[in-house]
Each structure stands twice: as structure tokens, then as C-alpha cells.
């Protein structure tokens, strides 16, 4: 079955706004920036079965920037892992959809993440496990640009290259913003592609990481690099808050921001182009 | 036989039987006694280099894939250095990872204060979901390894890596969650963990000659502590001495006192009195930190006078 990815991404974005808007606060900016990646992975590229979420040998996705949980939940719900109505329980007491990803609570979540840097190492462990099982799975993982300041990211980068984990495809949500300011101001990670290359990874740069066609092409290209003996990092140049202008305009302030249901409705209209 | 050799032998038996058992190192496989397993089990042994955080989270990833990883390093680097990775990647995520810290407390000897974990039990004990085990001798270690492996969840073992005298008989039956009463007494209970158990028994022997009848209980599993045994013994004797190779804050002493919080029973602590370690050999360190046999005897007498 093929999907209209642009429409899929609109649906995911709208559901992010609905769930966070219903709650009143959340990590909106970094959820909206990764929608195209999630759409491409879950609706096009990943070997998965929503009816059998723990299917052995499935592809896996580790959202190391765990605060993008609401974006992953919106994606999973739209893909049929659980009812979209559940999205309204986001961060409510007793919910199965906590702010940061939890594999023991949420159907379809492959790894618990939230303490930055750790999920990436976990993904490396998952990729190593898949190699040991020889099950042919591809392991996808997403890190933030601010998260890339964590030393553990580079420990894991070194190990993945040393162990030739070419079944591992990483993505950096390079939206250039973090909580305290721009990444360049706070503690610059540039030149990012050079760093990954120096660590022994294949590097693919995507000029517009919020363009589904560019993202889709990059993921397909990354998959062809299996057999290279190197893991691959796809650097997605994205816009934090992409799809809702006033959120984009908040700049670093859009990392975790308040929103009311009216604002959420207006945002949804904007996303739908109404 | 060195404790690490027993440990490595047990791991080898497990890896032989189960290809999902694997071991991760952070450049200290020689110290942990597992170096020679790399040749025998090349597909199950992984050296992460000097990157303990990565090692811990990789192990969690492997566990999520159905593997049964053991990670190992010196005690401080297997605990306080990777406290967050143990907390989130392993325990919060409910991953079946076994964590082995070698050279606990003063047994780090010549590596000195930087390598002496006086706080590892305290650090790990405050993380929900963790089990903490400290073996007394090779007999107990050998009996415990299959039980640790069979337990589906994270366990931290603080492993004295050199040779220790046998305390337990060859037919010793191990229960991970049950403390072992080594000798019964009426006047005082000595709760002890790790290599100091031998000294606690010797102290009990000396005290008996002086008319003080000690019960000695080996608390090999410090978390979850065997409350039933601890409370019953303390009620029976009415006085408590805890003996541990760890800060008296956060470790066995704290765990025993928490179990006894509702009881009005005096307690004295032998252990590291909230200070850092320093370089030296065991006899010097035991004297400097007040952990000799004579210190235990004196503390036991003091505990009895507090009744």
C-alpha cells in the first residue's frame, strides 16, 4: 500500500497540535521538525506490522531525542498502532503516552529514551543485536542537534563504526536551535558532516529535511549503503516548529511551549492550508 | 581460586549453553578475568573501550533484542560514572542487564582514592528496580551466578576479584533473596556483607570466649534486603552491628536500619565513616579506615552496652 506522504505528514502534524494543544504545553518545536522523517520511515521505508508490533526481525526506530515522543505517537496512531483518540491522553496521569518515549508503555515504541545521548547508544546495541541474529533488519535512530553535544553520542559513533554496523541509519534533526539559544551560540557542533565522516560514518546531507521527497530519497540512498561496512548518518536540515509560523517565530522558545486549544485549532488550519 | 576466575568460568558455562549471553567490557577485561573468553566466544564478547556510558546503553539495546548482557568495569566506573545510564537505559527501561563492578571499596588498594567506591551501593540502592548482590567467597559466587542469570531484571554485583578464603560449605544452597544466618546467638546480631564476613565470624568466635553470644547474618543481597530475617534476628538479640566495605551512609548499615526503623534496637556501624579512600594495601587500609578484626570486636562490645 502506498501513501500520499505529504498528506500523511499533514495528518501527523495536526495530531501533534491536537494532542499538545489539548494538554496546553509540550515540546512542540522539536516534534514538528521531524514529521517528514517519521512519515517517510513509518509509511514508506520501515519493515513493520502495526498489527504485530513486536514482530521479530522488524525494522526498529529509536527516537533518542525522546522529547519528540508526541510526534512518534501521532505517527504510530496514524499508522494504526493504536486509536488516534488515545493521543488526547498525552501526559495525563496514567497515560500510555508520556512526554518521553517509553517502550514498556506505548505500543510500537522500540526503546525507552529521554536522557539525551543514551538512546543513540541503545540503537547501536540494537543494531549489534540484529547483526548477531542475522535477521536483516535495519535500525533507524534519530538524535537532536543539541543532543549531539552529549559525549555519549560520540562514544557510540566510534563503536558503531568500529563494529561496522552498516545496518544502522542515524538521523540528526539539525534545526539549529536548543533551549538556551541557537546551537551555534550555545556550543557549536559544526562542521557536523565532517565530524560524522571523521568518525567513520557515511554521511548524507539533506538540504531541506522538511521536504518529504528529499527525505525519502535520502533514506533510500542510505539503505543502499548497507554492505559498505559503515553506519550512515543523514543530516536533516530542518526548521524547528515547521508548519506553524508563530511557533517557528518563537525561535529557541519553541522547545517547550504553552499552547491553548484555540491556538492549536488555528495551527491545524494553517497546516491544512485553510 | 580467584573470584574473577570463578566468575569468568561461570560466564563461560553460560555462554556455552546460550548464545544470547554476552559480555561487554570497557577496557578492563583483564582485571575482570574475562580476557581469555574473547578467543573462545568471539561472537559474544565485546570490548567497548574506555566508554562506560556507551557500554551500559549498548547493553540495554542488546537486552531489548533478547540478549542477556553482562557489563563489567571497576566498581566506581560500573556505578557512579554511569548512574544515569543504569537508571534510564537499564532499570527504568526494565532491561535484563547484569552489572559487575570489581574491586569494591578498599579492595581497590593501589589504585587509590579515585578508584575506591565507597558509595556504589548507595548510588545503586536508590535506583528503583535494582538488585544488589555482594559475594562472600567463591562457593557463594558460584552458587549465585546461575541465580543472577535466571533473575529477569537488572542486577548489580560488587565483586572482590582476588582470592578469598571459603566461608560457605561445598553443599551451600543459595537463595538470592534470603540472607544466610551463619551462626546463631542471643546477645547481638552482626549483619555483614562481602569479604568481611570471614572477619565477622572470627569476631563472633572471640566474643563468645568473652561471654558475648553473637548471631552472624550474611546479607549477600543488600537490595532488596531480606527484611524478615533482619527484623527477626535483631528482635531476638536486641542489638545490631553492621559490617561492610562501603560508606556507612547508603550501604548495608542504612539498609539494615531502614528495615529496623520501627524497632527500638541500638546499632553500631563498621565501615567507611563517610570519607574517601586512599592508596595502600589492605592491612593499612583496614587500619586507617577502622575495619580490622579488632575494630569489629570493639564495635560489637559497644553495641551490646547500648542495649
Amino acid at each position: 500500500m502506498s501513501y500520499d506522504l505529504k498528506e500523511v505528514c499533514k495528518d501527523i502534524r495536526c495530531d501533534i497540535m491536537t494532542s499538545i494543544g489539548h494538554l496546553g504545553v509540550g515540546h512542540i518545536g522539536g516534534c514538528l521538525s521531524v514529521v517528514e522523517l517519521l512519515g517517510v520511515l513509518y509509511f514508506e521505508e520501515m519493515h513493520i506490522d502495526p498489527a504485530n508490533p513486536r514482530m521479530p526481525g522488524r525494522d526498529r526506530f529509536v527516537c533518542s531525542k525522546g522529547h519528540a515522543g508526541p510526534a512518534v505517537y501521532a505517527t504510530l496512531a496514524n499508522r494504526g498502532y493504536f486509536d488516534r483518540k488515545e493521543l488526547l491522553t498525552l501526559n495525563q496521569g496514567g497515560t500510555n503516552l508520556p512526554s518521553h518515549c517509553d517502550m514498556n508503555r506505548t505500543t510500537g515504541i522500540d526503546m525507552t529514551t529521554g536522557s539525551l545521548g543514551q538512546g543513540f547508544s541503545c540503537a547501536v546495541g540494537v543494531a549489534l543485536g540484529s547483526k548477531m541474529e542475522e535477521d536483516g533488519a535495519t535500525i533507524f535512530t534519530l538524535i537532536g542537534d543539541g543532543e549531539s553535544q552529549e559525549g555519549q553520542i560520540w562514544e557510540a559513533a566510534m563503536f558503531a563504526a568500529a563494529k561496522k554496523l552498516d545496518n544502522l541509519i542515524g538521523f540528526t534533526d539539525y534545526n539549529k536551535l536548543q533551549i538556551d539559544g541557537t546551537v551555534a551560540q550555545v556550543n557549536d557542533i559544526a562542521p557536523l558532516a565532517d565530524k560524522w565522516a571523521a568518525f567513520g560514518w557515511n554521511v548524507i546531507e539533506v538540504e531541506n529535511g522538511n521536504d518529504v521527497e528529499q527525505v525519502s530519497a535520502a533514506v533510500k540512498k542510505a539503505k543502499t549503503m548497507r554492505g559498505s561496512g559503515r553506519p550512515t548518518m543523514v543530516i536533516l536540515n530542518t526548521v524547528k516548529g515547521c508548519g506553524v509560523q508563530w511557533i517557528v517565530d518563537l525561535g529557541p522558545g519553541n522547545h517547550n511551549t504553552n499552547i491553548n486549544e484555540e491556538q492549536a485549532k488555528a495551527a491545524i488550519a494553517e497546516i491544512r492550508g485553510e | 581460586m580467584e573470584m574473577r576466575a570463578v566468575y569468568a568460568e561461570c560466564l563461560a558455562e553460560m555462554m556455552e549453553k546460550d548464545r544470547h549471553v554476552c559480555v561487554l567490557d570497557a577496557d578492563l577485561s583483564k582485571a575482570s578475568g574475562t580476557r581469555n573468553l574473547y578467543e573462545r566466544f568471539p561472537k559474544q564478547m565485546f570490548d567497548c573501550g574506555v566508554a562506560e556510558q556507551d557500554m551500559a546503553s549498548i547493553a540495554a539495546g542488546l537486552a531489548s533484542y533478547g540478549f542477556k548482557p553482562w557489563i563489567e568495569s571497576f566498581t566506581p566506573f560500573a556505578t557512579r560514572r554511569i548512574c544515569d545510564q543504569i537508571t534510564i537505559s537499564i532499570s527504568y527501561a526494565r532491561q535484563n542487564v547484569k552489572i559487575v563492578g570489581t574491586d569494591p571499596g578498599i579492595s581497590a588498594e593501589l589504585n587509590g582514592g579515585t578508584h575506591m567506591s565507597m558509595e556504589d551501593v548507595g548510588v545503586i540502592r536508590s535506583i528503583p528496580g535494582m538488585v544488589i548482590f555482594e559475594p562472600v567467597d567463591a562457593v557463594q559466587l558460584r552458587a549465585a551466578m546461575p541465580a543472577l542469570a535466571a533473575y529477569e531484571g537488572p542486577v548489580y554485583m560488587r565483586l572482590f576479584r582476588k582470592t578469598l578464603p571459603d566461608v560457605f560449605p561445598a553443599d551451600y544452597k543459595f537463595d538470592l533473596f534470603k540472607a544466610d544466618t551463619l551462626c546463631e546467638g542471643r546477645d547481638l546480631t552482626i549483619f555483614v556483607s562481602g569479604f568481611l564476613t570471614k572477619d565477622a565470624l572470627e569476631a563472633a568466635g572471640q566474643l563468645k570466649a568473652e561471654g558475648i553470644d553473637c548471631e552472624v547474618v550474611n546479607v549477600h543481597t543488600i537490595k532488596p534486603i531480606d527484611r524478615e530475617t533482619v527484623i527477626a534476628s535483631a528482635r531476638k538479640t536486641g542489638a545490631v552491628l553492621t559490617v561492610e566495605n562501603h560508606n556507612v551512609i547508603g550501604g548495608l548499615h542504612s539498609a539494615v536500619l531502614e528495615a529496623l526503623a520501627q524497632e527500638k534496637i541500638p546499632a553500631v556501624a563498621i565501615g567507611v565513616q563517610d570519607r574517601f579512600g586512599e592508596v595502600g594495601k589492605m592491612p593499612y587500609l583496614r587500619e586507617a579506615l577502622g575495619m580490622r578484626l579488632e575494630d569489629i570486636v570493639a564495635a560489637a562490645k559497644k553495641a551490646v552496652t547500648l542495649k
Side-chain angles (χ1 to χ4, degrees):
Chain A
M1 181 173 178
S2 70
Y3 296 89
D4 179 337
L5 285 181
K6 283 186 183 163
E7 287 305 310
V8 163
C9 290
K10 280 184 187 174
D11 292 343
I12 295 171
R13 266 205 177 81
C14 289
D15 281 345
I16 291 169
M17 297 315 298
T18 302
S19 61
I20 297 180
H22 182 71
L23 183 74
V25 64
H27 293 106
I28 301 176
C31 281
L32 292 177
S33 59
V34 298
V35 169
E36 281 69 26
L37 172 67
L38 294 171
V40 167
L41 290 181
Y42 279 93
F43 285 81
E44 189 178 77
E45 295 298 336
M46 282 174 73
H47 170 58
I48 46 174
D49 179 5
N52 186 9
R54 302 257 177 209
M55 178 175 70
R58 70 189 184 277
D59 290 347
R60 302 201 188 199
F61 176 68
V62 178
C63 187
S64 190
K65 49 169 284 184
H67 52 283
V72 185
Y73 308 150
T75 307
L76 291 172
N78 276 280
R79 189 66 174 82
Y81 280 83
F82 49 82
D83 197 316
R84 286 177 58 243
K85 275 187 262 176
E86 203 177 327
L87 295 173
L88 294 178
T89 71
L90 178 74
N91 274 351
Q92 310 282 355
T95 185
N96 286 321
L97 305 179
S99 58
H100 298 78
C101 297
D102 187 333
M103 64 190 292
N104 294 310
R105 282 196 171 269
T106 313
T107 305
I109 292 291
D110 289 320
M111 183 55 66
T112 295
T113 54
S115 187
L116 294 177
Q118 293 187 31
F120 190 62
S121 284
C122 291
V124 170
V126 172
L128 181 63
S130 173
K131 282 268 184 188
M132 289 159 76
E133 293 288 12
E134 299 176 348
D135 59 11
T138 303
I139 311 308
F140 300 95
T141 183
L142 169 66
I143 61 175
D145 47 8
E147 182 181 13
S148 303
Q149 292 157 347
E150 289 281 6
Q152 188 171 356
I153 292 290
W154 303 100
E155 291 183 2
M158 211 183 304
F159 182 90
K163 300 298 176 198
K164 302 183 173 18
L165 299 179
D166 58 5
N167 58 339
L168 178 65
I169 300 176
F171 300 89
T172 303
D173 177 21
Y174 202 8
N175 58 46
K176 324 287 187 304
L177 296 176
Q178 58 187 114
I179 300 173
D180 280 354
T182 67
V183 174
Q185 284 168 342
V186 173
N187 188 7
D188 202 0
I189 61 173
L192 190 57
D194 293 349
K195 284 189 173 71
W196 285 102
F199 272 77
W201 287 53
N202 304 311
V203 183
I204 298 171
E205 290 188 83
V206 177
E207 190 182 338
N208 182 357
N210 296 118
D211 178 318
V212 276
E213 283 159 16
Q214 289 187 32
V215 175
S216 174
V219 176
K220 285 181 172 63
K221 186 177 171 191
K223 279 179 154 181
T224 67
M225 291 173 164
R226 196 181 183 114
S228 68
R230 295 152 73 99
T232 298
M233 175 53 69
V234 180
I235 298 173
L236 301 166
N237 287 287
T238 58
V239 173
K240 203 165 180 177
C242 182
V244 184
Q245 195 55 46
W246 71 266
I247 292 172
V248 174
D249 292 342
L250 288 175
N254 74 20
H255 181 80
N256 191 30
T257 190
N258 293 318
I259 181 169
N260 59 39
E261 291 206 57
E262 261 182 39
Q263 286 172 312
K265 276 182 193 158
I268 287 166
E270 185 181 336
I271 292 162
R272 293 274 181 221
E274 290 162 0
Chain B
M1 195 168 180
E2 287 195 333
M3 295 288 274
R4 60 181 161 186
V6 173
Y7 161 70
E9 209 172 76
C10 293
L11 284 179
E13 284 164 20
M14 288 178 204
M15 283 195 283
E16 190 88 48
K17 282 187 208 143
D18 184 351
R19 70 181 181 85
H20 286 106
V21 175
C22 52
V23 177
L24 284 79
D25 282 294
D27 202 31
L28 282 173
S29 64
K30 283 183 191 161
S32 303
T34 52
R35 186 72 224 161
N36 63 356
L37 299 182
Y38 277 78
E39 266 183 36
R40 267 180 81 189
F41 303 98
K43 291 182 172 171
Q44 289 158 273
M45 300 290 301
F46 301 97
D47 204 325
C48 300
V50 190
E52 296 84 3
Q53 304 179 92
D54 196 34
M55 172 176 70
S57 296
I58 286 174
L62 282 167
S64 81
Y65 224 82
F67 289 88
K68 299 161 187 171
W70 294 65
I71 65 173
E72 45 188 38
S73 183
F74 284 147
T75 302
F77 314 133
T79 57
R80 66 172 186 239
R81 187 173 183 116
I82 56 169
C83 179
D84 192 41
Q85 283 74 19
I86 293 173
T87 307
I88 301 304
S89 291
I90 296 176
S91 197
Y92 183 80
R94 299 208 294 267
Q95 297 303 335
N96 183 15
V97 177
K98 311 304 178 199
I99 302 153
V100 180
T102 60
D103 278 5
I106 60 170
S107 71
E109 291 192 306
L110 298 187
N111 272 326
T114 56
H115 287 50
M116 272 177 200
S117 55
M118 306 308 194
E119 71 300 301
D120 55 307
V121 174
V123 167
I124 301 298
R125 207 165 64 85
S126 56
I127 301 170
M130 295 299 301
V131 170
I132 303 172
F133 167 71
E134 179 172 21
V136 166
D137 64 7
V139 175
Q140 191 183 54
L141 175 61
R142 201 182 292 278
M145 285 293 286
L148 302 184
Y151 174 77
E152 288 236 4
V155 177
Y156 166 55
M157 171 162 69
R158 65 190 320 246
L159 180 65
F160 189 101
R161 65 183 163 120
K162 296 181 182 160
T163 305
L164 284 174
D166 280 350
V167 169
F168 287 95
D171 62 349
Y172 169 60
K173 295 275 180 290
F174 179 77
D175 182 336
L176 180 56
F177 299 110
K178 199 85 193 138
D180 289 310
T181 302
L182 301 177
C183 67
E184 297 198 8
R186 287 171 293 125
D187 301 327
L188 168 77
T189 306
I190 303 177
F191 294 109
V192 59
S193 57
F195 78 86
L196 289 164
T197 302
K198 176 94 175 159
D199 298 272
L201 282 168
E202 278 181 36
Q206 286 188 19
L207 289 159
K208 187 139 198 162
E210 296 182 41
I212 299 173
D213 189 17
C214 295
E215 182 147 305
V216 178
V217 178
N218 169 234
V219 184
H220 51 68
T221 298
I222 304 165
K223 182 182 183 179
I225 196 164
D226 177 1
R227 290 174 54 87
E228 198 183 336
T229 300
V230 168
I231 292 170
S233 177
R235 278 183 183 164
K236 184 175 84 172
T237 62
V240 164
L241 171 66
T242 56
V243 179
E244 64 191 309
N245 170 29
H246 185 276
N247 195 340
V248 297
I249 297 174
L252 177 67
H253 185 65
S254 297
V256 166
L257 289 198
E258 285 160 22
L260 297 176
Q262 306 297 318
E263 314 291 324
K264 293 183 175 126
I265 297 173
V268 174
I270 285 286
V272 182
Q273 302 295 325
D274 199 23
R275 53 159 286 188
F276 289 111
E278 61 182 292
V279 79
K281 298 289 273 183
M282 287 289 265
Y284 167 79
L285 292 164
R286 290 184 66 168
E287 182 178 357
L289 278 80
M291 293 160 67
R292 294 167 304 174
L293 175 60
E294 52 262 53
D295 298 313
I296 297 171
V297 170
K301 288 178 184 168
K302 184 180 167 194
V304 172
T305 64
L306 295 174
K307 282 170 89 166

